[in-house]
Amino acid sequence: MKTKIAVANGDGIGPEIMKAVLRVFEANNVPLEYEFVEMGKSYFDAGHSTGMTTAAKETIENLGILFKGPMETPKGKGVKSINVTARKVWNTYANQRDFRTLKGVETVFSKAGIPINLTIIRENIEDTYGGIEHLLTYDVAVGRRIITRPGSAQVIRYAFEMAKRKGYTKLACAHKANIMKLTDGLFLETFLEIAKEYPEIQSSDIIVDDLCMKLVTQPQNFQAIVLTNLQGDIVSDLCAGLVGGLGFAPSANIGDNISIFEAVHGTAPDITGKGIANPTALMLSGILMLRYMGFTENAATIENALLYTLEQGVHTGDFGDKLKPSVDTSGFADAVISNLGMIPADGGVVAQANMQLKANAHHHTLTKNKLTVTKGIKEEMVGVDVFVEAGNLQPAELAALAKKRLTDNFDVVMISNRGTQVWPTGSIFTELVNEYRVRFEKKAGKEVSQKELLHIAAAFSEDVKVCSVEFLMKFGGKIGYTLAQGQ
């Protein structure tokens, strides 16, 4: 019996490389049927603000698997990326990208005889990819960076399970918790807690800038790395550069109900229609999909054929030995098909489920959205940060206005500008913009309510423009906010 999946050809070179990959699948008798769905730039242009039709959304949600080519999001039209939207809407919380040295793909490291075989697991839903941004003043833009404990736990646990399946002995957590102490700090804290459940895997953490330096100097020392969304996006592209580029970087977006397998390189409009695009990345992504769905024999056979083909020097025009004639997209697929059953010289891959095994593409329909909450944590309100526009005021003048709005329960404890304290102490060399943060904290022994905190902001708005308000909280006795630089 064949399993049906949703397929989106994509934009630009997408239809060409998708056709090539599906031809290879057909030649290997992969037990799949395809329902093609309408997504991408042409559907933005047709007025679908999400980049997909209603029918496409329903099909993907019914089938549970989407195999997609590269897609373009129109620039300057106020629409969100179709790629990010799809990942977030369907909660594909773990992005897995495998990077390894490929015979026939020459890099600095392959020339030096340094083998690379590492996996990046990137949180795929949260972080700055929420796209929640506001102009607080004409000169000041802010974006919310959302990191949650449940979201972090989902992707970190997936990373440990992936490491076990692949036989890895090491997993690193990359972060910037030395600067972003609450957001990256929460991600790292969650990693350290879950690591206790996997004593067989050597866990470690590394600051992300240090990681980038080490990846370009000694990538062979890493097996698997888990990161937050934005940092993971950057590092995964860096790793693609280590093994030959995005044309050799497969991508899987894993969720509990829906998963997406895609090529993450661009749509290459300069070569669209010429039939010369490299289908390797999409083919590798399709192999991940087959392994995920339980078709491990097909996955191993096709992967071995692809590795053998590359090893023989077959190449499209974007890589390989320039002294040897290149093949077009169709010719590359023909070469892989002719090599089905062949084993590369360095040894072939075996039929094993080194991805999260999903026996079929169907999933259970949820009756309502899943909500995850950590319970039993004592919460306490201790103050409020009021963000204001006050470009014509010096810090001391703003402090005087803030003190006018105090009740007996509060003190004004700090004013910052771009995160740096400028009152009660500061430096005249700190350059200012027209947006300040004024921190009101409750006095020792006082109890305050949300209504009182909002009242302070409302009263303060009679003197200055209030742009935003954030409550200061303690959770389990620990403060849930950061100090200003210099505080």
Side-chain angles (χ1 to χ4, degrees), residues 206-219 222 238:
I206 183 170
I207 295 174
V208 69
D209 39 323
D210 185 28
L211 169 68
C212 290
M213 181 188 69
K214 287 184 168 62
L215 281 172
V216 299
T217 56
Q218 43 192 315
F222 295 93
L238 182 155

Side-chain angles (χ1 to χ4, degrees), residues 281-324:
L282 186 62
M283 195 175 300
L284 287 168
S285 300
I287 291 166
L288 286 179
M289 178 181 70
L290 298 181
R291 193 164 285 124
Y292 174 78
M293 297 179 68
F295 303 132
T296 55
E297 292 285 351
N298 297 100
T301 300
I302 295 172
E303 186 168 1
N304 283 327
L306 173 60
L307 295 176
Y308 182 86
T309 300
L310 293 171
E311 187 179 81
Q312 297 304 303
V314 178
H315 65 95
T316 49
D318 57 313
F319 76 100
D321 185 354
K322 298 305 179 184
L323 298 178
K324 184 174 182 179

Side-chain angles (χ1 to χ4, degrees), residues 148-270:
T148 71
R149 202 175 303 274
S152 299
Q154 271 189 318
V155 69
I156 290 166
R157 195 173 299 282
Y158 177 88
F160 274 104
E161 290 294 328
M162 178 279 305
K164 280 177 59 178
R165 285 190 298 272
K166 281 180 168 284
Y168 289 162
T169 59
K170 298 187 293 185
L171 174 64
C173 174
H175 60 87
K176 196 66 178 172
N178 56 325
I179 303 298
M180 292 176 283
K181 298 181 183 298
L182 294 184
T183 49
D184 271 33
L186 189 153
F187 190 82
L188 176 58
E189 178 185 318
T190 305
F191 174 84
L192 296 175
E193 281 297 313
I194 292 177
K196 297 174 184 176
E197 303 173 25
Y198 297 88
E200 71 277 21
I201 296 175
Q202 179 187 337
S203 59
S204 61
D205 71 278
I206 183 170
I207 295 174
V208 69
D209 39 323
D210 185 28
L211 169 68
C212 290
M213 181 188 69
K214 287 184 168 62
L215 281 172
V216 299
T217 56
Q218 43 192 315
Q220 70 276 16
N221 290 343
F222 295 93
Q223 293 182 349
I225 307 163
V226 62
L227 307 93
T228 55
N229 202 337
L230 178 59
Q231 294 168 15
D233 192 3
I234 296 166
V235 170
S236 58
D237 276 19
L238 182 155
C239 289
L242 304 178
V243 297
L246 289 173
F248 305 96
S251 179
N253 303 283
I254 305 300
D256 289 336
N257 298 291
I258 297 170
S259 294
I260 304 168
F261 299 82
E262 61 183 340
V264 294
H265 56 67
T267 57
D270 56 321

Side-chain angles (χ1 to χ4, degrees), residues 97-100 116-120 168 215 219-220 222-225 239 242:
R97 297 192 195 179
D98 298 330
F99 305 96
R100 60 177 164 171
I116 296 172
N117 184 12
L118 66 91
T119 299
I120 299 293
Y168 289 162
L215 281 172
Q220 70 276 16
F222 295 93
Q223 293 182 349
I225 307 163
C239 289
L242 304 178

